[in-house]
Structures are given as C-alpha cells and as structure tokens.
Amino acid sequence: MFSKLLGKTKDKESTQDKQHKELVAKIAVMNLTDMKTYINNRIPDCSVDEDGLREVMHKLLEVNKKTSKRYIEIDDMDSKKRKGFDLVLNILSHKNITVTAIEQINEFLEKNRDIIEKFDQDNKQIYDSKFKDALGLAVDGINAKAELKRKMKVIGE
C-alpha cells in the first residue's frame, strides 16, 4: 500500500523534474524578446511560474564560460540594454515573483550598476530610480502575501 503511494510521489517528482528541465532548456535558447514574451505569458505552451522567473534572471546573471562576458555588457547596443532593463522591470512587477527572484534582481542591479548609470547618463533615462521603485513595490507585495498567509493560518486554526 505504501509502495504505491511512494511510487506515485516519485512519478510526480520525476514529472516536475522533467518539466523543470524542459523549461530550463527553452529559456536557455531564448533571446531578450522571447524572454519578454514568456514573462508576459504570451507563449501558449509555456506558462510563467516562479521557476521560470528565476531561470530568466539566472540567464541574465550568468557569465558565458567561452567569452567570459555577462549577458548584458557595457559596450552592447542601447536597444539591448533597454530590452534587458525592461525585462527586469517586468519580472519585478510580475505576480509570481518570489524572494529568490528579488534576491537575483538585487544581485543583477549590483553587478550592472555601472551599465545602468552610464545608460541613464548617456540616454537621459531614469532606470536607476525605476528599479528602486519597482524593487520596493515587489518587496511590499511579498510582505503582503506573507501577511495574508499568516492571517489565513490563524483564521484556519
């Protein structure tokens, strides 16, 4: 009896692992436009979830082992930088954002501080303040969700 239950759990876990691996493989070949389409939930066979948001941020953070460059570099075209910054802002405003994704975004902002400041100065943009505002709203949203869960737990017991 218990082996059947445990077997079903293993099947469920292996299905989740398989779906996660497929998601990672899909995101690995996406460009910025495809990632933005994914974040906006406009890809029919691929729904946006917490893992997807983390994987997109991981792709933006990772350093290419062959070229030793980040996904967004200071000498990239302005349009690529703008798309990358807008993608991060979309992730910050997404309803499925988690604490892990916020930590990754904070790491992204720290590592790319020089790129953001130079872009803002050269193009008279305000991405630095947009990031600060969106990060504050995302943290407030996470806190509100946690407070709601806490209240529901108290009411439920």
Side-chain angles (χ1 to χ4, degrees):
M1 179 173 133
F2 291 115
S3 63
K4 288 182 181 178
L5 291 174
L6 293 176
K8 288 182 180 178
T9 305
K10 282 187 176 180
D11 290 340
K12 185 177 180 182
E13 288 176 7
S14 65
T15 304
Q16 288 175 346
D17 288 341
K18 184 179 176 183
Q19 289 174 345
H20 179 73
K21 288 179 183 177
E22 289 174 1
L23 177 67
V24 170
K26 285 180 183 178
I27 291 175
V29 297
M30 288 182 177
N31 60 21
L32 286 170
T33 305
D34 295 337
M35 286 188 277
K36 186 173 182 179
T37 304
Y38 168 72
I39 295 299
N40 291 333
N41 206 15
R42 296 213 171 108
I43 298 178
D45 62 335
C46 200
S47 62
V48 182
D49 60 355
E50 299 156 358
D51 287 338
L53 296 176
R54 284 193 305 261
E55 286 303 318
V56 169
M57 282 310 304
H58 177 71
K59 183 171 181 176
L60 291 176
L61 280 170
E62 76 179 348
V63 176
N64 189 338
K65 293 174 183 164
K66 293 178 183 176
T67 61
S68 299
K69 290 188 175 188
R70 296 179 285 188
Y71 195 81
I72 297 176
E73 285 289 328
I74 199 157
D75 58 346
D76 285 338
M77 292 179 60
D78 288 343
S79 60
K80 182 177 181 181
K81 292 178 201 173
R82 182 176 288 121
K83 284 181 182 180
F85 296 159
D86 288 338
L87 178 65
V88 173
L89 288 171
N90 284 347
I91 292 171
L92 278 169
S93 64
H94 201 275
K95 64 181 179 181
N96 291 337
I97 194 163
T98 60
V99 174
T100 308
I102 290 176
E103 289 172 351
Q104 287 178 318
I105 290 171
N106 199 22
E107 182 182 349
F108 174 84
L109 295 176
E110 289 173 10
K111 287 183 176 181
N112 295 304
R113 177 69 44 208
D114 55 339
I115 298 172
I116 295 167
E117 289 174 356
K118 185 175 182 331
F119 184 81
D120 284 353
Q121 185 179 20
D122 292 347
N123 297 300
K124 296 182 176 58
Q125 296 289 318
I126 52 171
Y127 276 104
D128 192 35
S129 64
K130 285 181 182 180
F131 284 133
K132 287 178 185 175
D133 294 342
L135 195 59
L137 289 173
V139 170
D140 290 344
I142 294 285
N143 289 337
K145 286 179 188 177
E147 183 67 22
L148 180 64
K149 284 182 182 179
R150 188 187 65 74
K151 286 181 181 179
M152 294 303 289
K153 186 176 180 180
V154 169
I155 291 172
E157 292 180 347

